[in-house]
Amino acid sequence: MTDLLAHMKKIILIIATFLSIGYVMADNGKNAKILLDAQKQIYIDAHEVTVEDYLVYLNQLDKINKSFYNAALPDESVCEELYDTKNIFVPEYFDRPIIGLTLEQIKAYCLWRTDYNHSKKTSKKTTVDYSYQLPTLSQLQMAYEQSDKSRGKLLGPVDVTAKKITGIADNINEVTADGYIVVGASPYTLKTVPYRETTEVGFRCVMVPIQQ
């Protein structure tokens, strides 16, 4: 699995080339970006990265390098345990949080997403470039304080049309960049445990401006 992250920088150069000629699928763009920190211009995904979001990434890897596609696949045993199926890449599960990923696989996805959106930014000549990263615990806490706290269904579908932050400490445990897993919340504070090697987690991304 180490090879996946180690070689992603090479692969994203290939992805960027294919993007320039229109070969790679477009990002489905369903995860709204919500302003989290106005001063620092940091945004966060409205909801967890979904199965459909992750499938876009897998489809691109599949067209470029089959071994990296295989290395990026989620743990089928976790999918079967939590979703009652080994194959979650069917429409029935498209709006569910992606699960079954190691921390290394999640970081590789963030790296790809950064480069993909850098390519779109370059083509559109926008002024700000962003890095997609896992949120820190403090960023996720800030997002929770701003979020819609209405209760949803555990491991249920996310609202892909949401224009506000949803699902934190409600749908799936989420991993942070600084070594925590969010497992719940009191009315005002997230409850966490130290990160352990597990694939029974979901995640969302923050968008952090890249210093020019």
Side-chain angles (χ1 to χ4, degrees):
M1 192 64 67
T2 302
D3 289 344
L4 176 64
L5 195 57
H7 293 288
M8 275 302 295
K9 288 186 178 180
K10 294 180 181 178
I11 287 185
I12 59 177
L13 292 175
I14 301 173
I15 290 175
T17 300
F18 283 133
L19 280 168
S20 68
I21 60 174
Y23 180 73
V24 179
M25 288 176 58
D27 190 347
N28 60 29
K30 291 182 179 180
N31 203 341
K33 313 303 180 292
I34 309 299
L35 183 62
L36 181 63
D37 187 326
Q39 182 177 2
K40 296 181 180 179
Q41 285 296 293
I42 295 174
Y43 292 77
I44 192 167
D45 287 336
H47 56 74
E48 306 94 317
V49 173
T50 66
V51 169
E52 186 175 16
D53 294 330
Y54 197 75
L55 182 58
V56 174
Y57 165 60
L58 286 179
N59 284 338
Q60 295 190 3
L61 286 183
D62 190 32
K63 292 176 180 177
I64 296 166
N65 186 304
K66 191 69 175 180
S67 64
F68 286 104
Y69 166 83
N70 291 332
L73 290 171
D75 185 338
E76 288 186 347
S77 65
V78 171
C79 296
E80 186 171 29
E81 178 183 353
L82 299 183
Y83 285 154
D84 296 322
T85 180
K86 290 183 178 180
N87 179 22
I88 59 175
F89 296 107
V90 292
E92 178 183 354
Y93 293 94
F94 277 179
D95 59 358
R96 305 289 184 93
I98 184 66
I99 57 172
L101 303 177
T102 65
L103 186 59
E104 191 172 41
Q105 287 173 307
I106 291 171
K107 288 180 177 178
Y109 171 84
C110 293
L111 182 61
W112 163 80
R113 194 172 172 189
T114 296
D115 190 75
Y116 178 85
N117 284 276
H118 171 75
S119 299
K120 290 203 300 183
K121 174 256 181 185
T122 301
S123 66
K124 294 181 179 180
K125 297 182 172 59
T126 55
T127 57
V128 180
D129 203 1
Y130 288 90
S131 171
Y132 284 75
Q133 308 168 12
L134 283 174
T136 63
L137 179 57
S138 62
Q139 288 170 337
L140 209 55
Q141 174 65 42
M142 185 185 301
Y144 177 67
E145 292 168 2
Q146 300 175 24
S147 71
D148 177 358
K149 299 179 180 61
S150 57
R151 304 298 293 178
K153 180 182 178 183
L154 184 64
L155 292 174
V158 304
D159 180 3
V160 296
T161 65
K163 302 302 180 185
K164 52 189 175 182
I165 302 167
T166 63
I168 298 177
D170 179 30
N171 196 352
I172 181 70
N173 294 343
E174 294 189 40
V175 64
T176 74
D178 46 353
Y180 297 95
I181 299 174
V182 174
V183 296
S186 68
Y188 304 104
T189 306
L190 294 176
K191 296 178 180 179
T192 65
V193 297
Y195 178 79
R196 63 189 186 283
E197 193 63 37
T198 178
T199 59
E200 295 184 8
V201 292
F203 70 101
R204 72 184 71 210
C205 297
V206 289
M207 295 172 59
V208 179
I210 297 174
Q211 299 298 324
Q212 300 299 319

